[in-house]
Amino acid sequence: MSLTNASQKVVGPDPKAGLLTQRERIASTTQSQESWNTFKTWMWTCISKHSQCSPKSLEVRQRQLPKRLIEVSEGNTVRLRTVESIGDAYAIEYLALSHCWGLGPRVILTSSSAASLFEGVEIAALCRTFQDAIMVTKRFWDEFAVRYLWIDSLCIIQDSAEDWRQESANMGEIYQNAFCTLAATAAADGHRGFFSDRDPRMISPCSISVVPKNGENRPFYCVDYEDWAKNVSRGPLNGRSWVLQERLLSPRVLHFGADQLYWECSGLEASEAFPAGFPEGLGEQFKQLLPFSGLPQIEQQGPSSRGPYGIWDQVMETYSSGKLSRRTDRLVALSGIARKLQRRLIQHDTYLAGLWKQDLPFELLWDVKIPPQKPDAGHEYIAPTWSWASRLATVPCETETWASAATLVDITGAMVVPLDNDHMGQVRGGYIRLSGVLARGTLSRIHQPGSPTPGLALKIGDRTVSSAICRPDDGFSPAIQLPHVVYCLPILRGTRNLVPRYKGLFLVPSGRQAQFRRYGTFTADSFGDEFLVSCPPSWLDTGDLGPDRRYEVTIV
């Protein structure tokens, strides 16, 4: 809990309002009308005052819309419509739903159900979350003249791989072009819906009178400092990887939390308890990472600044910690953010399976946050081993130590092979070719005092690199067999306390000449030449040593 000075404008629901004894419905109760009025204020403020939350005229003319939308009417049914059948695509406004599938909705769009959905479906036949989304859309129709709704499972043909690939590639545009996104933030599945029983007094900050030594009576508010984090950032919905771009790219998001509404746009974070905005330190400023319209404020001061690539680091780390129902969605569910960054900030760079070519020496040095206890049993190809997308819960290279380090490799070639025409979506192959020093070594397990997990020692030639910190992507479990040989590829060289420090990749041979797979990363201090002089050629592994005493190797 935290005490907030009352001089900050904090307005809550009427503390005299009674306990709601029935399920709160925006459509019917007095208290719900108060919630709706609060939301209308947020929306009209955003539309009229937040230039950073509105698309530019050029973007409106060029915007891509989904193939299908749900048309909401006054009756008890809704129907699916194609955008072409509606009329002027540039004038169409629609809402988008962000939700957790859970066990799956009862009604979905398939090849066999399409005809009945285009004819019309009873609202009561849909899951609770869909029913609530439709009810809210009706209120939008009355207030903002928005009568269309996009729901993934009702607007994408679920048994058509082709339709799913086309629409999933457009997913970022779908949310970016929505008038507003309705987020079922507190719902782990479609059965909970948007709303819940609540005592409206519980969301009103508690006023406490504090009498300091000077005798002046000053009121303070007692508020939950973790409110936004618990009910939005860590809500059930935001544990899904797909939701990152849904939330980040949408111009505005209305979160239906556990006991109140939350608002999020590039200009405001608010709740019913704090309708004018959260006091400093209580919100998240999540959408400032990539404002809907306009560019983020990129700090250019200090050696740790990485400009737009620093933004990508934050996106990647947040995204990779989320959950996906299908591993093959790993790159697809991030493609919308990658497209926006390329359009706005990294126009002249090439996107390579989750990494950017001009920043490869730095971005290749990601680590696995929590190594698995056993190798990943998945058989689907997700990404090349050098891409963080090939692993779960990855983190970027630490900025403070290495952002100003010298680069020890040259990128001589890079390519990914997309599964279809979407070069930012799913891939079926790829490689990076680079020139650098290769040091041949071995890894062995060592006891770590006070830890049940053994550590790893690195030996290059007959010399043990005592300072080496080894981070294998597959983890440290004794059940995992260590490779017979590893090759150290130093990529960055910095200093710590005037001692040279190296960070690079562990590589293992793939079985083809001069071709390797990533095994992990290492960090080591060294005054010696372990990471400056290439090992003698091993024809099957390394190929020929170049005249510059470096190898050109390919990582797949």
Side-chain angles (χ1 to χ4, degrees), residues 189-201:
D189 55 43
H191 301 295
R192 184 192 184 280
F194 283 177
F195 312 111
S196 58
D197 297 336
R198 73 174 185 182
D199 181 347
R201 294 171 296 184

Side-chain angles (χ1 to χ4, degrees), residues 156 164-173 241-242 245-246 249 312 319 324 326-339 351 353-354 381-383 388-389 419-420 422-427:
I156 301 176
W164 187 89
R165 280 198 298 267
Q166 290 176 357
E167 290 299 273
S168 63
N170 193 31
M171 199 77 77
E173 299 285 344
S241 292
W242 271 106
Q245 72 173 11
E246 295 171 7
L249 296 181
W312 185 250
Y319 172 80
L324 282 169
R326 298 189 299 186
R327 296 174 70 251
T328 51
D329 289 353
R330 192 95 165 114
L331 289 168
V332 181
L334 191 67
S335 61
I337 298 176
R339 285 188 179 87
Y351 184 72
Y381 182 87
I382 306 301
W388 58 265
L419 186 64
D420 47 36
D422 181 12
H423 71 285
M424 289 185 169
Q426 193 173 345
V427 302

Side-chain angles (χ1 to χ4, degrees), residues 304-351:
S304 64
S305 174
R306 292 185 6 86
Y309 299 114
I311 296 174
W312 185 250
D313 287 346
Q314 296 179 60
V315 168
M316 179 269 280
E317 183 172 5
T318 302
Y319 172 80
S320 68
S321 64
K323 299 177 182 178
L324 282 169
S325 299
R326 298 189 299 186
R327 296 174 70 251
T328 51
D329 289 353
R330 192 95 165 114
L331 289 168
V332 181
L334 191 67
S335 61
I337 298 176
R339 285 188 179 87
K340 181 169 183 177
L341 267 175
Q342 190 173 57
R343 283 199 306 266
R344 299 285 181 85
L345 297 176
I346 319 177
Q347 295 97 331
H348 304 297
D349 207 345
T350 301
Y351 184 72

Side-chain angles (χ1 to χ4, degrees), residues 456 465 467-471 501 506 521-524:
L456 291 179
V465 185
S467 66
I469 301 172
C470 308
R471 304 181 186 89
R501 191 169 219 210
F506 282 135
T521 67
F522 69 87
T523 304

Side-chain angles (χ1 to χ4, degrees), residues 304-452:
S304 64
S305 174
R306 292 185 6 86
Y309 299 114
I311 296 174
W312 185 250
D313 287 346
Q314 296 179 60
V315 168
M316 179 269 280
E317 183 172 5
T318 302
Y319 172 80
S320 68
S321 64
K323 299 177 182 178
L324 282 169
S325 299
R326 298 189 299 186
R327 296 174 70 251
T328 51
D329 289 353
R330 192 95 165 114
L331 289 168
V332 181
L334 191 67
S335 61
I337 298 176
R339 285 188 179 87
K340 181 169 183 177
L341 267 175
Q342 190 173 57
R343 283 199 306 266
R344 299 285 181 85
L345 297 176
I346 319 177
Q347 295 97 331
H348 304 297
D349 207 345
T350 301
Y351 184 72
L352 299 165
L355 289 76
W356 298 93
K357 186 175 181 179
Q358 293 181 20
D359 196 43
L360 275 180
F362 198 93
E363 293 190 15
L364 286 171
L365 296 171
W366 51 267
D367 282 306
V368 178
K369 188 173 186 179
I370 304 176
Q373 294 303 305
K374 58 182 179 180
D376 190 351
H379 299 295
E380 312 100 326
Y381 182 87
I382 306 301
T385 62
W386 45 262
S387 169
W388 58 265
S390 65
R391 300 285 177 166
L392 297 177
T394 49
V395 294
C397 178
E398 54 186 323
T399 300
E400 292 298 326
T401 306
W402 301 106
S404 59
T407 301
L408 303 178
V409 296
D410 293 319
I411 308 299
T412 59
M415 186 185 74
V416 295
V417 183
L419 186 64
D420 47 36
N421 295 326
D422 181 12
H423 71 285
M424 289 185 169
Q426 193 173 345
V427 302
R428 55 186 176 90
Y431 69 84
I432 288 176
R433 187 175 297 119
L434 43 76
S435 173
V437 168
L438 279 184
R440 188 162 51 243
T442 57
L443 296 173
S444 60
R445 289 188 172 87
I446 56 173
H447 173 67
Q448 295 189 118
S451 173

Side-chain angles (χ1 to χ4, degrees), residues 24 51 77 90 118 135 139 158 166 199 223 283 331 336 343 369 414 419 441 446 502 554:
E24 182 183 39
S51 59
T77 63
Y90 302 127
F118 277 107
M135 182 177 60
R139 296 296 298 267
Q158 299 299 309
Q166 290 176 357
D199 181 347
V223 300
L331 289 168
R343 283 199 306 266
K369 188 173 186 179
L419 186 64
I446 56 173
Y502 297 87
T554 299

